[in-house]
Amino acid sequence: MTTKTIISRLLLLMYLGAIAFICFMSAENIPSVQKEILGLPTDKVVHFCMFLPFPLLAYMAWDHRTDKVWGPFVSAGVIVVLGALIASLTEYVQKFLPTRSMDLHDFKADMLAILISTALVFIIDITHLKTRKNR
């Protein structure tokens, strides 16, 4: 395992810890902010921003790159499924917290970020596929 892989995995773990902290902290500790950003509900923008880095961090953390054509498709699928599991788990746990609540729209914002970011990671992976084949 390379140093780059170890650092990437540590970054992913720290990111997941930060997501858990933000999603599960008491709502009383959340500062007051404006209700909308560019006409969108602030909490949905925050959810989108929280989950946008996940696909890139997950992509960097696992050395799954292959020279096979199907590799980027499998990677993208795994990243989306893992992201969906994490996003749904955070919302489900919030259902049981006294100052938080489960919100399907938060999950939708999470998934939008995951899908957009995964598409970008997929494009990067496909672009680098040719270089991996030539090695």
Side-chain angles (χ1 to χ4, degrees):
M1 190 174 340
T2 66
T3 304
K4 182 180 173 183
T5 303
I6 292 170
I7 291 171
S8 296
R9 289 180 182 180
L10 287 173
L11 277 172
L12 179 62
L13 285 174
M14 290 188 316
Y15 164 80
L16 291 173
I19 290 293
F21 176 77
I22 292 167
C23 288
F24 304 146
M25 73 178 176
S26 173
E28 297 160 352
N29 296 332
I30 299 172
S32 304
V33 293
Q34 61 193 35
K35 294 207 181 270
E36 291 184 347
I37 297 174
L38 301 173
L40 299 169
T42 301
D43 67 321
K44 305 312 176 241
V45 173
V46 170
H47 272 269
F48 181 87
C49 292
M50 281 190 324
F51 280 87
L52 195 62
F54 174 75
L56 181 60
L57 291 170
Y59 176 78
M60 291 174 12
W62 273 269
D63 189 17
H64 58 276
R65 297 173 252 327
T66 179
D67 61 351
K68 305 291 184 213
V69 174
W70 50 265
F73 294 94
V74 171
S75 296
V78 168
I79 288 170
V80 168
V81 168
L82 287 175
L85 286 172
I86 293 166
S88 61
L89 182 64
T90 59
E91 288 304 316
Y92 183 73
V93 169
Q94 285 181 359
K95 176 181 177 180
F96 301 103
L97 299 176
T99 62
R100 302 303 290 259
S101 62
M102 188 169 87
D103 185 353
L104 181 60
H105 297 297
D106 288 347
F107 177 73
K108 289 178 185 177
D110 299 343
M111 285 307 300
L112 180 62
I114 289 167
L115 291 171
I116 289 172
S117 190
T118 300
L120 295 173
V121 168
F122 177 78
I123 291 167
I124 291 167
D125 205 12
I126 287 286
T127 303
H128 290 100
L129 182 63
K130 187 176 182 180
T131 358
R132 289 193 301 270
K133 277 188 169 187
N134 292 333
R135 287 186 197 168

